[in-house]
Amino acid sequence: MKISVDRLNDSPASFCFEADANWWRLALATGSGFPGEITEPVRFRCVAQRIGSELHLEGGVDGVVELECGRCLARYCHGFNESFRFVLEPAGNRVPADPEGAAALSRDGLCLGDELETGWFRGSEIHLGPIFVELVSLALPMKPLCREDCPGLCARCGANLAVAGCDCEQIGSDSPFAVLAGIRDDLVRGGN
Ligand SMILES: [Zn+2]
Ligand SMILES: [Zn+2]
């Protein structure tokens, strides 16, 4: 996942990288905290161009990962897609103020600011691997849900309400609590 800076010129050059399940596990191991397993290689696309002394890069990452729903615990496939666009200027003799950025600049040949829109590069090669890892973590949901309105599991019998209802629901509507909830609803409506 590296690009030779010396070969870039003012006509856009396309790059494609594929990352397999091994890469995913490795990214997991480095503490990026990727959940689940990918079911097919993750694809990274990048178009790079030199404009004056700057490097302009844009592209995206897409893939499918199998996640566990936070409510019903079912495994489901989550497709993700995240795009990026940033401009790098030659670092020259400058050193990034933050240690992480300084390390990235000497290790990967580039570092990006917080917004991932601008940054610096140095040397003849830039390694995009760490940025792709960051893009993937941005693209993954904080709270995986098999669907927006997943009802989850029944608190009483543990049935998966996303698949089928359970008898608890019917008992529930007759319970004193359901009656109270009805009264509360009336009060709320009356208050308006
Ligand atoms: Zn669910
Ligand atoms: Zn139930």
Side-chain angles (χ1 to χ4, degrees):
M1 299 187 190
K2 55 189 176 187
I3 290 179
S4 170
V5 173
D6 298 336
R7 293 212 196 129
L8 295 180
N9 53 39
D10 56 2
S11 53
S14 292
F15 300 87
C16 257
F17 308 97
E18 282 205 344
D20 57 12
N22 240 349
W23 178 87
W24 190 267
R25 279 186 217 110
L26 219 75
L28 235 166
T30 58
S32 313
F34 290 2
E37 289 273 334
I38 52 171
T39 54
E40 55 187 85
V42 180
R43 286 169 303 275
F44 299 99
R45 304 168 311 281
C46 178
V47 174
Q49 186 178 13
R50 184 190 285 273
I51 298 179
S53 63
E54 295 173 344
L55 302 183
H56 291 231
L57 285 91
E58 67 174 288
V61 49
D62 65 273
V64 178
V65 59
E66 204 183 290
L67 297 175
E68 188 181 275
C69 175
R71 287 191 198 143
C72 71
L73 309 181
R75 312 279 298 173
Y76 72 101
C77 285
H78 174 85
F80 60 89
N81 198 327
E82 187 82 15
S83 57
F84 68 90
R85 174 199 284 264
F86 53 79
V87 175
L88 303 174
E89 52 178 70
N93 293 324
R94 293 175 293 181
V95 177
D98 65 307
E100 225 172 276
L105 187 58
S106 57
R107 187 190 58 225
D108 310 322
L110 86 162
C111 64
L112 286 178
D114 289 342
E115 307 295 321
L116 301 182
E117 281 168 0
T118 55
W120 296 344
F121 74 95
R122 176 179 291 154
S124 56
E125 261 182 359
I126 52 176
H127 294 252
L128 295 173
I131 285 165
F132 288 154
V133 169
E134 194 152 345
L135 279 169
V136 171
S137 28
L138 284 176
L140 296 174
M142 302 275 285
K143 286 186 183 163
L145 289 178
C146 65
R147 55 176 221 239
E148 199 75 23
D149 59 348
C150 171
L153 303 178
C154 170
R156 257 193 229 181
C157 72
N160 185 352
L161 300 177
V163 175
C166 64
D167 293 336
C168 309
E169 284 182 299
Q170 289 150 33
I171 297 166
S173 60
D174 294 327
S175 81
F177 296 107
V179 173
L180 281 176
I183 293 170
R184 188 196 58 209
D185 287 347
D186 286 341
L187 285 173
V188 169
R189 267 194 293 276
N192 286 339

